[in-house]
Amino acid sequence: MRTTAAVCGLLALLLGLPFAGGTTPGAVDRAADAAVAPLGPGVLRALVFPTEPYVVLALGLLAVVLCLRAGRRLEAALALAVPVLAILLTSWVLKPLYDRWKNDTLVYPSGHTVSLVAVLTVLVLVTRRVFVGVLAAVTVLAAAAGLVGMGYHYLTDVVGGTLFAVAVVLVSWPAPHREPAPSTG
């Protein structure tokens, strides 16, 4: 997990460099804008829905409850604290550092994405279920289309936010441990 965290963190930091201090979208950003342009406003609002704070908060509380039900108190505390850490680092450190603007707002990395992906990554780690991972990935892809289509973010902001959120969660999460096999003798 630590290697994946390091790679994601490094990629998030590098991805924002070409856009730092600017407002101009890159070629990938323009292509993403064109790809989602045919989607109607109602569809785009539905796609952005998972990034709403009350949805993210509900998902985070679900992760905490699942941890507490399983008697994993450390993970319950981390399920609450780590997404908050990722959001604070994004808002207070990375956005001012990269200074990328869109519509008079700092946008790299996407705070919408960081909050959603951090909580979904925690849920994947807590549940340890492939289905949850697939559902999380589909949710992030849908939210990305919505965020780009609504004009809130460039695609690179969303990708950077995804990478950064995964990095923060993975570097903060305890390594999985296996329960010892019961003694047969």
Side-chain angles (χ1 to χ4, degrees):
M1 276 194 340
R2 301 287 189 247
T3 302
T4 302
V7 169
C8 287
L10 181 61
L11 289 174
L13 295 175
L14 293 175
L15 179 62
L17 289 178
F19 307 105
T23 59
T24 308
V28 171
D29 296 325
R30 287 190 296 277
D33 284 344
V36 298
L39 299 176
V43 171
L44 293 172
R45 279 192 296 277
L47 294 174
V48 171
F49 178 73
T51 68
E52 293 292 340
Y54 53 87
V55 174
V56 173
L57 182 59
L59 292 171
L61 290 175
L62 173 62
V64 171
V65 168
L66 290 172
C67 289
L68 291 174
R69 283 186 56 209
R72 298 175 356 217
R73 290 177 186 249
L74 172 61
E75 289 183 12
L78 290 173
L80 186 61
V82 171
V84 171
L85 173 64
I87 294 164
L88 292 176
L89 287 171
T90 298
S91 298
W92 293 349
V93 178
L94 294 182
K95 283 182 182 262
L97 179 68
Y98 283 97
D99 194 35
R100 185 181 198 190
W101 292 85
K102 184 173 187 178
N103 303 328
D104 297 325
T105 304
L106 287 171
V107 292
Y108 187 88
S110 164
H112 291 91
T113 306
V114 168
S115 62
L116 177 64
V117 172
V119 168
L120 290 176
T121 302
V122 166
L123 272 171
V124 169
L125 292 170
V126 165
T127 62
R128 301 175 185 147
R129 301 278 186 241
V130 172
F131 171 75
V132 175
V134 170
L135 190 57
V138 168
T139 301
V140 171
L141 289 173
L147 290 168
V148 170
M150 293 291 288
Y152 297 157
H153 286 285
Y154 298 114
L155 181 61
T156 48
D157 305 332
V158 175
V159 173
T162 299
L163 291 166
F164 184 69
V166 169
V168 171
V169 172
L170 292 183
V171 80
S172 304
W173 207 256
H177 61 281
R178 302 210 185 276
E179 296 297 321
S183 174
T184 59

